[in-house]
Amino acid sequence: LNVSRVVVYQHKSIIGKVRYDLMNDTFSSIWMEVGLPKKKKILVCNIYREWQYLQQDDNSSSTINEQLVRWNSFLDQWERALLENKEVVVLGDMNLNHLNWNQQDLHPSNQTYKLRPLIDQLFEKIFPHGVSQLVTVPTRSWTNQVDTGLDHIYSNIPAKLSEIQVQS
């Protein structure tokens, strides 16, 4: 595959199975159905949204249109998971800056401005299912650079999760 790999470690006390039916080879994600014995299972997804495919001779996969095709493929997986009427948690490096999603005066060279089609699809396809983005603070801070929020955690039942904290 020309995509990054996502690794998930599962503690031996957790019952889980990989949900291959919610995955494909065009996007770096792992879907698992997990839970404690004799408890209702939840769906958990770890993802890495890549800018482009690895080891590609050209940069064709880095265009916004190609990123959107891959993103929509993932959003379709997510929607299928949500339709199972289970708790669904999605976490990972989305490479979408949640800190300025709602900012209207972004310069055309800004990444959020450029990636607006991906953000719009997230808002149109996923948020109507009652999903919330739970990280509200910067997840990347570097000296002399603007803080960004590229790492996200989503849930369709956010009240069941502990308060999200970012370690600096």
Side-chain angles (χ1 to χ4, degrees):
L1 298 176
N2 289 332
V3 297
S4 297
R5 304 308 193 264
V6 176
V7 177
V8 175
Y9 294 96
Q10 178 183 325
H11 192 274
K12 63 184 176 184
S13 67
I14 301 291
I15 295 173
K17 67 178 180 177
V18 177
R19 290 289 304 270
Y20 294 101
D21 61 309
L22 295 174
M23 302 181 327
N24 63 45
D25 62 1
T26 64
F27 201 87
S28 300
S29 66
I30 295 178
W31 282 93
M32 294 187 69
E33 187 171 312
V34 299
L36 297 171
K38 299 180 183 178
K39 299 289 182 181
K40 187 175 179 180
K41 304 301 182 258
I42 68 171
L43 292 171
V44 178
C45 176
N46 287 56
I47 79 159
Y48 174 65
R49 192 191 73 76
E50 297 176 297
W51 295 97
Q52 68 184 58
Y53 285 139
L54 301 174
Q55 302 172 358
Q56 192 176 36
D57 292 335
D58 62 14
N59 289 329
S60 60
S61 69
S62 68
T63 67
I64 299 302
N65 283 340
E66 287 299 313
Q67 289 184 56
L68 184 58
V69 167
R70 292 192 303 276
W71 183 240
N72 276 324
S73 171
F74 173 71
L75 294 180
D76 290 344
Q77 295 170 12
W78 196 348
E79 278 190 302
R80 285 196 317 273
L82 289 163
L83 292 175
E84 292 189 22
N85 293 316
K86 294 180 179 168
E87 180 178 356
V88 177
V89 177
V90 174
L91 57 151
D93 183 345
M94 300 292 186
N95 280 314
L96 298 170
N97 186 6
H98 66 78
L99 296 178
N100 62 1
W101 276 349
N102 298 318
Q103 207 171 324
Q104 299 300 317
D105 60 347
L106 296 172
H107 190 272
S109 65
N110 182 283
Q111 284 297 341
T112 298
Y113 181 91
K114 292 177 185 178
L115 296 172
R116 179 66 60 199
L118 282 74
I119 296 164
D120 289 345
Q121 286 298 302
L122 175 66
F123 275 72
E124 290 172 21
K125 289 184 168 188
I126 300 303
F127 287 176
H129 291 278
V131 171
S132 298
Q133 204 292 93
L134 304 174
V135 181
T136 59
V137 297
T139 59
R140 182 173 184 258
S141 296
W142 289 79
T143 305
N144 300 323
Q145 291 188 12
V146 176
D147 290 348
T148 57
L150 305 179
D151 303 297
H152 301 191
I153 300 174
Y154 296 89
S155 175
N156 62 334
I157 309 177
K160 288 184 74 177
L161 297 176
S162 299
E163 180 181 343
I164 304 301
Q165 297 181 4
V166 174
Q167 303 300 313
S168 51

